[in-house]
């Protein structure tokens, strides 16, 4: 018996006791129920108890549809780090940018939250068979967790799912059914199949299944607690102990994540731990963006996309059904937000940017959220002062070929040597073949250490440069006189000696006049200031508006033109 929660029907409001064996409202037959708890009581005791609880998904067991607070089917799910994205944040002009790194879950995606809570609930209820339809990651997670729990799993996968993922599902001993059809049709087939199994198979219905929805809200709990450790309590809301971000950004397919995360933020507020709900940004792949279309046309029902045109199978839910309507309604009633779409190419590019700038590798579906972040930062939808959390939803190995293109490694062979030569000579001869690329000396002049760190990272991730740094104008001029610099990447606004004065001094000295200057600035220039730069610099780049490749392209074009 579950005494700490009730299931409330969204259609008729009827409240009944919860059991994983019943999926519909006993009063009206409605298929969408949500869990409700005694928030006031839990809110009072939870802050006292949290310091003694491990930082994993079970930390918030009082608010989960399970009985045993220390379940046996656990593999270290949840409790993922909230990472500050300093380089990307500097690049986009959003200093308070954080990444919830869900790829550190046991099978590499945030679906492990859903699988761990659901499989635990099934185990507690004595259910031994389950059925689901998946675009890949749900099936991988459930395959792992059901294997540990001794539950049989039937996984219906659309044939769009990459072969690597299908094999990953199969290796755990899952019954894999590959359906040559869209994901929406695959779901219908799985539903039919579950209904025909007489022995009481549990069908995971995503957002309509209480354990699935409850699992996702733990992301909100963790973000709030971690953000408070990272930034301190919210000075604008000193009456509550925890803080919430201004934005939660996630790549969206069926919408389980954002609906669950919103429920989590709502419960934090009910418990008196916070008093705000963040804006939600749902990012979809352009070729399958029913929620984006509906949002932009101000519709509360999403028109299904019958044949999704995206290579990102994880995000190929063409028909979000009622989930969109619920999500939109709740967003409008709370923190608002936006839906945006990005192209597959923008997502692939974001994968590469995040790997080079933040050391984080991810699958295309997760990268859709980052491509959306870049788009929203550029368009001004996200303000520089705002606190932003992006969910890095998942990881696939191996890296898909399309991300890297050609020329990502240099081939060397160690030659066969005549026996009189020493083996070291073979190594030396191989080393000599790794020809270094053209070399330029670049000075980075900026008073902000994060800005210097970003530009250094951009240069070192894409080529072979000798890099110098200066944190003020005086040091910059010293460097210019002492080293043979080819390029100076110059900030304009610096205390004491600003970039304009550095430029004047460089041009006035014959020894330094030929150094090519790229100005990178956050400042909007007046006509007068523009005139001061005209003809004397190579390029003007605005902070927060260029991507890594743009800067390197500028420097390489300088080298190609021989202008330095
Ligand atoms: C499932 C999934 C999504 C989409 O999540 P929803 O909340 O179900 O829309 C995004 N990224 C990855 C990696 C996923 O596995
Ligand atoms: Zn009902």
């Amino acid at each position: 018996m579950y005494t700490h929660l009730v299931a409330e029907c969204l259609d008729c409001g009827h409240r009944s006791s919860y059991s994983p064996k019943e999926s519909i409202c006993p009063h009206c037959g409605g298929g969408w129920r949500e869990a409700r708890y005694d928030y006031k009581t839990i809110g009072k005791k939870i802050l006292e108890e949290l310091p003694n609880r491990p930082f994993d998904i079970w930390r918030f067991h009082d608010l989960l549809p399970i009985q045993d607070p220390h379940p046996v089917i656990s593999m270290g799910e949840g409790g993922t780090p909230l990472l500050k994205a300093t380089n990307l944040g500097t690049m986009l002009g959003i200093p308070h940018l954080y990444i919830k790194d869900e790829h550190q879950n046991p099978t590499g995606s945030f679906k492990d939250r859903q699988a761990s809570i659901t499989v635990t609930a099934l185990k507690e209820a004595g259910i031994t068979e389950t059925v689901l339809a998946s675009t890949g990651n749900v099936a991988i997670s459930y395959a792992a967790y059901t294997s540990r729990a001794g539950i049989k799993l039937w996984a219906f996968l659309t044939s769009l799912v990459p072969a690597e993922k299908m094999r990953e599902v199969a290796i755990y001993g899952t019954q894999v059914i590959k359906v040559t059809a869209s994901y929406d049709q695959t779901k219908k087939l799985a539903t039919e199949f579950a209904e025909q199994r007489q022995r009481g198979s549990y069908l995971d219905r995503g957002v309509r299944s209480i354990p699935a929805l409850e699992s996702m809200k733990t992301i909100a709990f963790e973000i709030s607690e971690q953000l408070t450790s990272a930034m301190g309590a919210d000075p604008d809301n000193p009456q509550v102990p925890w803080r919430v971000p201004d934005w939660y950004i996630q790549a969206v397919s069926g919408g389980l994540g954002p609906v669950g995360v919103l429920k989590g933020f709502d419960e934090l507020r009910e418990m008196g731990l916070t008093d705000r709900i963040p804006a939600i940004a749902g990012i979809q792949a352009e070729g399958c963006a029913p929620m984006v279309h509906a949002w932009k046309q101000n519709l509360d029902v999403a028109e299904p996309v019958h044949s999704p045109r995206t290579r990102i199978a994880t995000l190929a839910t063409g028909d979000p059904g009622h989930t969109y309507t619920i999500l939109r309604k709740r967003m409008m009633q709370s923190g608002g937000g936006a839906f945006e779409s990005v192209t597959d190419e923008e997502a692939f590019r974001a994968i590469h940017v995040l790997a080079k700038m933040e050391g984080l590798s991810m699958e295309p579906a997760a990268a859709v959220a980052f491509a959306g972040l870049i788009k929203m930062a550029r368009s001004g939808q996200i303000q520089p002062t705002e606190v932003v959390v992006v969910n890095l939803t998942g990881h696939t190995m191996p890296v898909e070929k399309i991300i890297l293109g050609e020329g990502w490694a240099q081939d060397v062979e160690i030659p066969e040597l005549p026996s009189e030569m020493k083996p070291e000579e073979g190594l030396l001869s191989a080393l000599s073949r790794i020809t270094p690329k053209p070399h330029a000396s670049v000075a980075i002049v900026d008073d902000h250490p994060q800005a210097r760190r970003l530009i250094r990272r951009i240069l070192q991730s894409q080529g072979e440069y000798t890099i110098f740094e200066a944190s003020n104008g005086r040091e910059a001029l010293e460097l210019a006189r002492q080293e043979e610099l080819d390029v100076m990447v110059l900030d304009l606004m610096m205390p004491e000696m600003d970039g304009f004065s550095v430029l004047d001094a460089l041009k006035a000295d014959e020894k330094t006049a030929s150094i090519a200057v790229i100005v990178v600035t956050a400042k909007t220039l007046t006509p007068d200031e523009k005139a001061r730069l005209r003809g004397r610099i190579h390029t003007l780049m605005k902070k927060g508006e260029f991507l890594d490749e743009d800067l390197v392209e500028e420097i390489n074009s300088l080298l190609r033109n021989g202008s330095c």
Side-chain angles (χ1 to χ4, degrees):
M1 254 311 271
Y2 299 83
T3 51
H4 66 298
L5 75 150
V6 292
E8 183 178 290
C9 173
L10 293 196
D11 293 327
C12 75
H14 179 77
R15 288 184 163 206
S16 48
S17 62
Y18 165 71
S19 158
K21 290 187 170 160
E22 284 154 21
S23 58
I24 56 169
C25 167
H27 186 248
C28 76
W32 197 326
R33 298 183 310 156
E34 284 187 359
R36 306 278 180 248
Y37 305 76
D38 179 357
Y39 299 109
K40 290 279 166 312
T41 309
I42 298 171
K44 280 206 192 87
K45 70 165 200 185
I46 203 162
L47 278 187
E48 277 163 40
E49 294 191 4
L50 282 182
N52 301 315
R53 294 185 186 179
F55 195 70
D56 59 20
I57 201 172
W58 311 104
R59 185 171 180 78
F60 302 99
H61 59 76
D62 329 57
L63 295 155
L64 292 173
I66 50 155
Q67 282 165 321
D68 182 356
H70 307 287
V72 282
I73 314 143
S74 168
M75 294 196 265
E77 52 285 335
T80 56
L82 184 73
L83 306 171
K84 182 146 198 208
T86 307
N87 285 337
L88 185 65
T90 306
M91 187 149 93
L92 297 175
I94 308 170
H96 305 296
L97 176 62
Y98 292 86
I99 297 175
K100 184 63 173 157
D101 188 7
E102 289 289 297
H103 96 261
Q104 296 197 35
N105 275 299
T107 75
S109 85
F110 76 138
K111 300 301 191 326
D112 287 333
R113 293 182 188 266
Q114 183 182 350
S116 61
I117 303 287
T118 305
V119 170
T120 298
L122 298 186
K123 187 85 182 155
E124 286 183 349
I127 293 168
T128 56
E129 182 177 292
T130 179
V131 177
L132 52 80
S134 170
T135 57
N137 291 342
V138 167
I140 292 175
S141 287
Y142 277 71
Y145 281 90
T146 52
S147 139
R148 289 174 78 84
I151 292 175
K152 185 178 175 69
L153 173 63
W154 295 86
F156 287 69
L157 297 171
T158 129
S159 49
L160 304 170
V161 173
E164 290 81 5
K165 282 195 177 175
M166 291 216 186
R167 289 198 296 272
E168 181 73 16
V169 179
I171 199 171
Y172 296 105
T174 307
Q175 300 288 319
V176 177
I177 293 114
K178 196 166 140 185
V179 186
T180 308
S182 72
Y183 175 52
D184 297 315
Q185 289 165 307
T186 305
K187 259 199 293 205
K188 290 202 180 94
L189 188 64
T191 308
E192 285 292 317
F193 176 85
E195 274 164 14
Q196 282 181 15
R197 298 284 292 179
Q198 302 292 324
R199 273 176 276 137
S201 283
Y202 178 87
L203 175 72
D204 191 290
R205 298 171 315 135
V207 67
R208 285 165 202 254
S209 292
I210 283 181
L213 185 63
E214 295 302 283
S215 74
M216 289 299 167
K217 73 188 191 188
T218 57
I219 297 173
F221 299 164
E222 291 177 17
I223 288 175
S224 205
E225 192 179 4
Q226 289 172 311
L227 207 53
T228 309
S229 309
M231 302 183 69
D234 187 350
D236 297 333
N237 297 284
Q239 66 284 11
V240 289
W242 284 6
R243 174 190 265 277
V244 297
D246 296 299
W247 288 94
Y248 168 80
I249 305 184
Q250 194 206 295
V252 175
S253 184
L256 171 65
V259 176
V261 166
L262 260 182
K263 185 171 191 280
F265 280 116
D266 213 41
E267 292 186 349
L268 286 175
R269 194 175 55 170
E270 293 272 344
M271 291 189 288
L273 297 181
T274 63
D275 66 357
R276 260 177 351 110
I277 308 287
I280 304 287
I283 317 294
Q284 298 201 290
E286 198 174 271
C288 185
M291 299 199 196
V292 182
H293 297 153
W295 180 265
K296 300 214 159 167
Q297 291 168 57
N298 227 345
L299 302 173
D300 65 359
V301 177
E303 177 83 25
V305 170
H306 292 296
S307 28
R309 284 182 214 289
T310 169
R311 291 146 93 172
I312 307 176
T314 306
L315 300 183
T317 303
D319 184 3
H322 198 54
T323 308
Y324 168 72
T325 306
I326 297 255
L327 181 56
R328 176 175 180 271
K329 184 169 144 216
R330 292 187 182 172
M331 281 165 62
M332 306 224 302
Q333 284 167 351
S334 58
F339 284 91
E340 273 300 339
S341 62
V342 297
T343 63
D344 290 5
E345 284 66 32
E346 286 169 322
F348 297 149
R349 192 170 180 212
I351 292 183
H352 214 176
V353 171
L354 266 291
K356 286 184 294 183
M357 294 298 118
E358 296 295 345
L360 293 166
S361 175
M362 67 187 75
E363 63 178 276
V368 161
F370 290 90
L373 162 77
I374 293 169
K375 190 168 177 179
M376 291 176 70
R378 294 251 172 94
S379 70
Q381 267 172 289
I382 296 175
Q383 299 292 314
T385 51
E386 289 182 311
V387 179
V388 179
V389 175
V390 186
N391 187 338
L392 195 176
T393 43
H395 188 282
T396 346
M397 300 264 253
V399 170
E400 289 169 40
K401 285 197 198 98
I402 188 158
I403 312 297
L404 282 174
E406 301 294 318
W408 49 272
Q410 294 187 59
D411 289 329
V412 261
E413 266 175 48
I414 305 215
E416 291 272 350
L417 294 176
S419 56
E420 68 275 14
M421 282 173 79
K422 292 200 208 93
E424 295 89 278
E425 293 178 54
L427 283 182
L428 287 178
S429 122
L431 275 178
S432 72
R433 267 173 243 195
I434 311 173
T435 37
K437 293 204 190 91
H439 220 86
S441 282
V442 183
I444 305 165
V445 183
D446 201 307
D447 56 323
H448 293 101
Q450 320 88 289
R452 297 199 300 274
R453 169 175 153 186
L454 168 66
I455 291 169
R456 171 181 285 276
R457 183 62 201 137
I458 290 174
L459 295 176
Q460 68 189 186
S461 69
Q462 323 226 345
E464 181 70 18
Y465 302 97
T466 307
I467 302 170
F468 300 94
E469 290 185 25
S471 60
N472 59 49
R474 190 183 40 77
E475 281 177 23
L477 291 176
E478 260 166 45
L479 264 181
R481 289 187 199 112
Q482 279 161 20
E483 309 292 341
E484 302 276 310
L485 293 181
D486 299 302
V487 182
M488 183 176 285
V489 179
L490 180 65
D491 181 25
L492 286 182
M493 286 186 300
M494 294 183 289
E496 293 166 57
M497 185 178 200
D498 68 8
F500 293 104
S501 321
V502 173
L503 193 60
D504 290 340
L506 282 180
K507 296 297 164 192
D509 184 338
E510 199 185 311
K511 262 193 76 188
T512 57
S514 64
I515 297 172
V517 176
I518 294 177
V519 167
V520 176
T521 182
K523 189 172 164 49
T524 307
L525 298 183
T526 64
D528 218 35
E529 287 169 331
K530 280 193 187 142
R532 278 182 78 186
L533 297 178
R534 196 165 300 133
R536 309 172 77 200
I537 66 166
H538 176 72
T539 328
L540 176 69
M541 303 185 93
K542 196 122 199 279
K543 278 186 181 167
E545 286 184 359
F546 65 93
L547 272 187
D548 54 333
E549 286 158 19
D550 304 335
L551 178 65
V552 167
E553 187 42 46
E554 287 303 330
I555 294 181
N556 289 344
S557 85
L558 278 169
L559 296 175
R560 274 198 301 274
N561 299 339
S563 39
C564 61

